[in-house]
Amino acid sequence: MLEFIKGTLHIGNVSATDLAKRFGTPLYIYDAEIIRRQIERVKRAFSALPFRPFYAMKANGALSVLDLMRGAGFGCDTVSPGEIFIARKAGFTPDNIWFTCSNVSDDDLRAIGDERIVINVNSMSEIDRILALDLRNPIALRVNTDIGAGHHADVVTAGGGVKFGIDLAEIESARMIAEDSGRKVVGLHAHIGSGIDDIGPLIESVRRLLDLSTDFPNLRWLNFGGGISVPYEPGKAEFPIDDYGAELTRIADRLLRARDLTAILEPGRYLVAESGTLLAQVTSRRISRGQWWIGVDTGFNHLVRPSKYGAYHHIVNATSGSPASLRQTFDLGAMAEDVVVAGNLCESGDVFTRDEHGKTLTRRIDRTKIGDLLAFCDAGAYGFSMASLYNARLLPPEVMVDGDDVRLIRERQTYEDLVKGMR
Ligand code: LLP
């Protein structure tokens, strides 16, 4: 949990200034207690169903995060051979891994490497190639249920104009191609988008998958995807996960039990977003045309969501801030100044306070001076995992805090790492 003790931000029981002294900035910090809290929320909400939770590791693929998920009995949803490799390193057994294809190559398919890993195919052509390569893995079909949702157009993954899923009109042919070759379609899957605030579209997509399931005699699983959001902004309500669980149970439980099927969900963001903080140091204060700009020692190379989607990440002064600055207890009237917060990359779009059209916004925060630490909150999902090497700035280290305990879980890159493998 984030809290202020004597003006300093604490993560778990550890002060942000101590963490910065010990590990430097920029720095990703994850709070294990929050990950465990979210794990329990998922388990509880769907406990009435025959249910198996998976974790979409694209949200955060740190081994220590995966370890928490595996320890809690989650399976792992992967989307590349690299993710499969990391999942195996983290101890997931092949029968606990799904591989969801997206325009995969033959090399990708061969690299899956173990025939117990479920291949969740995204198109008819992938089925053809799996057959041509004579892969024996269980096959699931990713269905475009025509219901899409998400916090930004770029993360809506069903409906028209998206690259994902086999259309409902094609699904019968897909089943026939697979089954005519002696394969069983053991799963149906729909993931409709990411950052979804209300259960309406999720439930509608579930209904379509349930309807479709009656045409598939060999199913073992129905995978309803991820997509559950978290409240990034002050005043925003928590996602009603218990309602989602209750409604899913109401519409699906009977059918699942009658056919001995297991429901799968594969959330990413919901499990890890709120656990993560990106800690950066203020390197400059600049006034331009009457507007204060705060510069920090990180950029969209480490947290791309504001630049890419105009996504909101709450920002607090971690060195000398107040409880009123925290998202959960935010009091706009108690904040001192309106500032733009910008990163250290050589690009004008490197701004943390933007809307989805790229327009620069201001944010009201506690007064901030050079050397203060700024915390970018709720950065545990699609933060480090989307980081890049732009401008040859080093990838930051990652730290896991658990109560009083602090563990370095990924080292800061070195300058030598930047040229490793280059000729
Ligand atoms: N399953 C599949 C097949 C997915 O493609 C995804 C996310 C998930 C599960 C997990 O979705 P979640 O529960 O995290 O919403 N970079 C974007 C999000 C992209 C999500 C891509 N797929 C962002 O930062 O908002």
Side-chain angles (χ1 to χ4, degrees):
M1 208 184 72
L2 297 183
E3 65 177 333
F4 274 97
I5 301 177
K6 293 189 187 140
T8 305
L9 185 70
H10 282 61
I11 297 156
N13 300 334
V14 187
S15 104
T17 47
D18 286 353
L19 289 168
K21 262 189 218 124
R22 190 161 155 200
F23 301 103
T25 58
L27 171 67
Y28 267 104
I29 304 151
Y30 308 113
D31 184 341
E33 279 177 10
I34 293 190
I35 298 179
R36 282 197 290 267
R37 180 191 76 194
Q38 297 301 94
I39 286 173
E40 287 314 312
R41 286 181 178 174
V42 169
K43 284 184 163 179
R44 192 191 58 213
F46 304 96
S47 59
L49 287 165
F51 176 60
R52 196 167 154 206
F54 275 60
Y55 169 56
M57 68 170 282
K58 63 176 77 65
N60 186 325
L63 285 173
S64 298
V65 171
L66 294 173
D67 198 51
L68 285 173
M69 303 300 171
R70 191 181 50 75
F74 279 57
C76 193
D77 167 56
T78 64
V79 289
S80 68
E83 285 197 350
I84 294 175
F85 178 82
I86 296 169
R88 302 281 316 254
K89 282 268 177 207
F92 286 98
T93 51
D95 50 323
N96 280 305
I97 297 175
W98 272 49
F99 175 64
T100 297
C101 300
S102 172
N103 299 333
V104 291
S105 66
D106 283 355
D107 283 346
D108 289 338
L109 288 169
R110 282 193 207 95
I112 292 170
D114 190 296
E115 58 184 41
R116 285 165 293 176
I117 294 175
V118 175
I119 306 182
N120 187 21
V121 301
N122 188 48
S123 67
M124 307 264 272
S125 81
E126 277 162 4
I127 304 179
D128 290 339
R129 286 169 42 230
I130 288 167
L131 299 179
L133 292 168
D134 199 27
L135 299 180
R136 290 283 148 188
N137 301 60
I139 292 177
L141 303 182
R142 177 170 186 168
V143 184
N144 182 335
T145 54
D146 253 346
I147 313 274
H151 71 83
H152 185 279
D154 287 355
V155 300
V156 175
T157 51
V162 304
K163 67 173 186 153
F164 293 108
I166 301 170
D167 285 341
L168 288 168
E170 301 289 329
I171 210 79
E172 177 58 13
S173 322
R175 183 180 69 77
M176 277 162 49
I177 295 174
E179 300 202 339
D180 285 355
S181 71
R183 308 305 172 84
K184 293 178 175 160
V185 174
V186 292
L188 292 177
H189 167 265
H191 170 74
I192 67 169
S194 191
I196 302 169
D197 286 329
D198 86 276
I199 69 172
L202 291 164
I203 289 293
E204 196 45 42
S205 175
V206 168
R207 280 187 201 283
R208 298 208 172 169
L209 219 54
L210 292 174
D211 287 348
L212 199 60
S213 68
T214 53
D215 299 335
F216 287 79
N218 300 309
L219 290 180
R220 292 165 58 197
W221 305 286
L222 292 180
N223 182 336
F224 303 118
I228 309 170
S229 197
V230 298
Y232 285 99
E233 296 181 41
K236 199 111 190 254
E238 295 269 352
F239 181 89
I241 193 154
D242 290 332
D243 294 351
Y244 185 24
E247 191 58 10
L248 193 56
T249 305
R250 196 178 67 76
I251 65 174
D253 189 55
R254 225 175 37 190
L255 182 146
L256 293 171
R257 288 184 195 280
R259 295 197 49 199
D260 200 16
L261 302 180
T262 302
I264 291 178
L265 289 189
E266 47 182 21
R269 183 190 312 274
Y270 186 76
L271 292 162
V272 291
E274 290 169 278
S275 77
T277 303
L278 173 61
L279 200 62
Q281 191 170 33
V282 175
T283 52
S284 80
R285 279 185 65 96
R286 158 182 182 263
I287 192 158
S288 170
R289 296 151 208 246
Q291 176 62 57
W292 277 105
W293 289 63
I294 305 277
V296 291
D297 65 353
T298 185
F300 71 65
N301 51 333
H302 298 156
L303 180 61
V304 77
R305 304 191 68 257
S307 283
K308 186 167 163 54
Y309 314 113
Y312 182 100
H313 281 273
H314 198 68
I315 303 172
V316 301
N317 184 330
T319 307
S320 58
S322 60
S325 69
L326 289 173
R327 164 170 71 74
Q328 292 80 351
T329 46
F330 191 61
D331 178 1
L332 186 73
M335 297 296 99
E337 56 177 355
D338 291 318
V339 297
V340 175
V341 180
N344 59 357
L345 300 178
C346 283
E347 191 156 323
S348 288
D350 185 26
V351 168
F352 289 101
T353 47
R354 301 182 101 195
D355 73 8
E356 63 177 315
H357 308 293
K359 184 172 169 291
T360 297
L361 304 172
T362 59
R363 190 71 67 78
R364 195 171 297 175
I365 62 174
D366 278 315
R367 191 164 305 286
T368 297
K369 57 185 190 314
I370 292 175
D372 283 352
L373 299 168
L374 284 192
F376 296 86
C377 304
D378 307 308
Y382 307 108
F384 191 100
S385 70
M386 293 182 81
S388 75
L389 291 176
Y390 192 44
N391 283 191
R393 291 213 170 260
L394 305 180
L395 294 177
E398 296 180 291
V399 162
M400 182 75 77
V401 168
D402 195 353
D404 295 322
D405 187 45
V406 177
R407 270 182 311 129
L408 182 65
I409 63 167
R410 189 194 308 254
E411 295 169 13
R412 187 182 301 283
Q413 268 198 320
T414 65
Y415 292 113
E416 282 302 323
D417 290 335
L418 292 178
V419 290
K420 187 162 178 253
M422 275 194 209
R423 306 254 165 113

